């Protein structure tokens, strides 16, 4: 199953294409990083061409901490981008439905996303497993 489809099925999200934001494979709208945006180059901290979940998690935590403008250790809907997919990811990750997202609630989403990409189960994402920009349909 493709990485975006796996996450959408797991989260129960079915959002219109019109709500899309600029694509970034590690911070795109179908990943936990869609809350914060970002670049794949930021994730591979040791630049070895292989991504571990620890690297993904460290990157997500940095994004979380930057987004936490009031420094209370949790995010409110006002602290994440207002586009529909970020807000949908926020709501899906808010496990206790209290309107705030904690790192403890974000981590399972991150782990699920990572496992959905790790096709060979070696706990590493390599060039073949990393998400790619979806192919654009041919113009009529």
């Amino acid at each position: 199953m493709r990485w975006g489809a796996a996450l959408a099925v797991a989260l129960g999200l079915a959002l219109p294409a019109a709500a899309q934001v600029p694509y970034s494979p590690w911070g795109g709208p179908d990943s936990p990083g869609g809350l914060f945006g970002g670049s794949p180059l930021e994730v591979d901290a040791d630049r070895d061409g292989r991504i571990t979940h620890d690297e993904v998690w460290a990157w997500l935590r940095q994004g979380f901490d930057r987004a936490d403008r009031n420094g209370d250790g949790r995010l409110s809907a006002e602290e994440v981008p207002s586009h529909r997919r970020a807000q949908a990811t926020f709501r899906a990750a808010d496990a206790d439905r209290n309107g705030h997202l904690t790192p403890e609630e974000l981590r399972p989403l991150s782990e699920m996303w990572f496992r959905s990409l790790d096709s060979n189960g070696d706990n590493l994402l390599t060039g073949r497993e990393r998400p790619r920009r979806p192919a654009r349909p041919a113009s009529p």
Side-chain angles (χ1 to χ4, degrees):
M1 191 179 293
R2 299 196 65 201
W3 72 275
L7 186 58
V9 167
L11 294 176
L13 300 176
L15 298 172
Q20 288 189 8
V21 296
Y23 180 82
S24 169
W26 299 102
D30 293 334
S31 77
L35 291 169
F36 316 118
S39 163
L41 298 177
E42 296 170 356
V43 176
D44 188 9
D46 60 8
R47 303 286 192 256
D48 67 353
R50 300 177 306 166
I51 308 295
T52 65
H53 183 262
D54 288 341
E55 288 175 310
V56 170
W57 181 241
W59 176 79
L60 281 172
R61 276 308 308 261
Q62 289 172 356
F64 185 99
D65 292 342
R66 279 191 309 271
D68 184 14
R69 293 187 297 267
N70 64 7
D72 67 355
R74 59 191 191 160
L75 298 180
S76 66
E78 293 78 29
E79 290 176 301
V80 298
S82 61
H83 60 78
R84 291 177 59 169
R85 289 195 179 200
Q87 290 294 316
T89 301
F90 173 87
R91 286 188 306 276
D94 181 14
D96 61 9
R97 303 292 184 244
N98 68 354
H100 293 94
L101 180 61
T102 64
E104 294 78 19
E105 290 173 311
L106 183 60
R107 187 159 185 131
L109 179 65
S110 169
E111 291 168 350
M112 179 183 59
W113 178 82
F114 186 88
R115 283 191 311 269
S116 76
L117 291 175
D118 185 16
S119 60
N120 63 2
D122 67 354
N123 295 316
L124 294 170
L125 299 182
T126 60
R128 298 186 117 175
E129 295 168 310
R130 289 185 204 156
R132 302 280 184 225
R133 176 181 288 276
R136 292 182 161 222
S139 298

